[in-house]
Amino acid sequence: SQQGEEDPQALSIQEGENATMNCSYKTSINNLQWYRQNSGRGLVHLILIRSNEREKHSGRLRVTLDTSKKSSSLLITASRAADTASYFCATDTNAGNMLTFGGGTRLMVKP
Amino acid sequence: DAGVIQSPRHEVTEMGQEVTLRCKPISGHDYLFWYRQTMMRGLELLIYFNNNVPIDDSGMPEDRFSAKMPNASFSTLKIQPSEPRDSAVYFCASSPGALAGLNTQYFGPGTRLTVL
């Protein structure tokens, strides 16, 4: 089974609304990262949060991490149609330099 | 830097043919990863290299798949013989490495492989 599991699998919202995606994982981590994938493109790194951090911001992105619950959330505020993409969480378990990716959340932002 | 470069971007071939996918990582990155993405199975790690040496190939599905990294600026993923179930998007990614304080991965645009 996957280390990271995103929830929900798909999310549809109106432009201007906030979008929240969740990620749960199973084993201890060094850091957790979020990536975005536009249709037909490769994944692009958005933000990294270390295991000793609880919250991190980058522009309209806010990431939280709760290591006691082994979960993270990605909040996109004031969403735009251009935010339409799939979003993946990835965990670094210190097993070499590997990242383990979840199944992704497909976000659709309607104009 | 141009980022991770993959070629070809699209490949259509017939079952039984040999397929070679190519990747040029970002200069200075010590790690290179090959992934496969399908709707059914999501993103799967096939193999990764550190300083041109294969570290973990446990994700390589079968002996029909092989990967090489002859130098720091080039890697290939070969499928021989190809089968329709190999149809997928194959991504190459590179990373500076954890020792550099960063294990963020930088993905190429992918190669969309269709095996008829």
Side-chain angles (χ1 to χ4, degrees):
Chain A
S1 62
Q2 293 175 331
Q3 161 73 331
E5 301 274 354
E6 283 91 343
D7 170 57
Q9 290 189 336
L11 180 61
S12 181
I13 60 174
Q14 294 294 136
E15 206 165 29
E17 294 180 341
N18 295 342
T20 300
M21 289 157 272
N22 303 297
C23 170
S24 59
Y25 57 92
K26 296 183 174 67
T27 62
S28 296
I29 61 171
N30 289 321
N31 66 61
L32 185 144
Q33 303 178 34
W34 284 91
Y35 288 76
R36 182 184 72 204
Q37 183 180 31
N38 289 88
S39 180
R41 304 285 186 94
L43 280 71
V44 175
H45 177 257
L46 293 175
I47 193 166
L48 179 153
I49 186 165
R50 301 187 192 281
S51 60
N52 61 354
E53 297 175 313
R54 292 297 166 258
E55 188 171 312
K56 203 162 184 180
H57 297 254
S58 176
R60 293 184 297 112
L61 304 181
R62 173 179 167 245
V63 171
T64 61
L65 179 64
D66 187 335
T67 54
S68 66
K69 295 181 179 178
K70 291 187 170 58
S71 68
S72 173
S73 67
L74 172 67
L75 169 67
I76 304 174
T77 60
S79 63
R80 305 166 182 169
D83 295 327
T84 294
S86 291
Y87 292 82
F88 295 84
C89 68
T91 51
D92 162 18
T93 60
N94 203 28
N97 203 50
M98 289 170 48
L99 293 178
T100 304
F101 287 84
T105 293
R106 294 188 310 279
L107 173 66
M108 175 175 288
V109 182
K110 300 176 184 176
Chain B
D1 200 315
V4 175
I5 298 172
Q6 290 187 249
S7 65
R9 293 294 310 277
H10 302 273
E11 177 82 24
V12 179
T13 190
E14 293 189 345
M15 183 174 62
Q17 296 297 307
E18 178 180 295
V19 174
T20 299
L21 311 181
R22 298 174 176 80
C23 175
K24 176 178 168 51
I26 293 173
S27 177
H29 283 191
D30 291 338
Y31 287 82
L32 183 140
F33 305 82
W34 282 102
Y35 292 91
R36 178 173 68 177
Q37 187 177 40
T38 61
M39 288 293 291
M40 291 296 294
R41 301 175 69 91
L43 192 66
E44 302 173 276
L45 176 65
L46 300 178
I47 185 171
Y48 78 97
F49 296 82
N50 178 23
N51 292 323
N52 314 337
V53 176
I55 301 302
D56 186 343
D57 65 353
S58 60
M60 297 286 263
E62 300 170 32
D63 291 345
R64 298 184 297 106
F65 286 69
S66 63
K68 294 181 179 179
M69 192 164 186
N71 57 62
S73 59
F74 184 66
S75 176
T76 60
L77 178 67
K78 186 175 293 187
I79 308 172
Q80 166 63 17
S82 58
E83 297 182 3
R85 60 194 166 120
D86 301 331
S87 297
V89 181
Y90 290 81
F91 288 102
C92 175
S94 68
S95 171
L99 288 178
L102 295 169
N103 59 6
T104 297
Q105 293 185 14
Y106 298 80
F107 283 73
T111 295
R112 181 173 295 276
L113 174 64
T114 303
V115 183
L116 302 174

